[in-house]
Amino acid sequence: MQVKIDFKNGNKTVFNADCYDADDLRRDLVQQNANGNHFFYINGYKEDQLIVDIQSIQSLIISR
């Protein structure tokens, strides 16, 4: 599964988040936002982690 992010400044990134089921990742991001976090923490393959400032995101797409 991949997380594709377009940032407000025009940059883009694609992150491999295969350790998640897509539905679990959606729920996790919603919960992080509801908790008032200013960053999304997304775990990836082999201990990779993506940390993203929520306010910098233009769009976030989770694809299988």
Side-chain angles (χ1 to χ4, degrees), residues 5 7 12-13 43 46 50-51 53 56:
I5 301 174
F7 294 95
K12 298 179 182 191
T13 191
N43 294 320
K46 291 192 176 185
L50 178 67
I51 302 171
D53 180 351
S56 70

Side-chain angles (χ1 to χ4, degrees), residues 44-61:
Y45 182 70
K46 291 192 176 185
E47 300 181 19
D48 290 342
Q49 188 174 46
L50 178 67
I51 302 171
V52 181
D53 180 351
I54 293 172
Q55 294 188 351
S56 70
I57 297 173
Q58 180 73 33
S59 67
L60 186 146
I61 299 169

Side-chain angles (χ1 to χ4, degrees), residues 26-47:
R26 283 186 194 94
R27 278 192 293 275
D28 188 39
L29 294 178
V30 167
Q31 185 61 48
Q32 288 183 45
N33 196 29
N35 288 344
N37 292 355
H38 296 285
F39 296 91
F40 282 145
Y41 298 87
I42 303 171
N43 294 320
Y45 182 70
K46 291 192 176 185
E47 300 181 19

Side-chain angles (χ1 to χ4, degrees), residues 1-3 15-21 25 42-45:
M1 182 185 62
Q2 292 183 329
V3 177
F15 186 74
N16 183 354
D18 284 337
C19 64
Y20 286 98
D21 173 74
L25 179 56
I42 303 171
N43 294 320
Y45 182 70

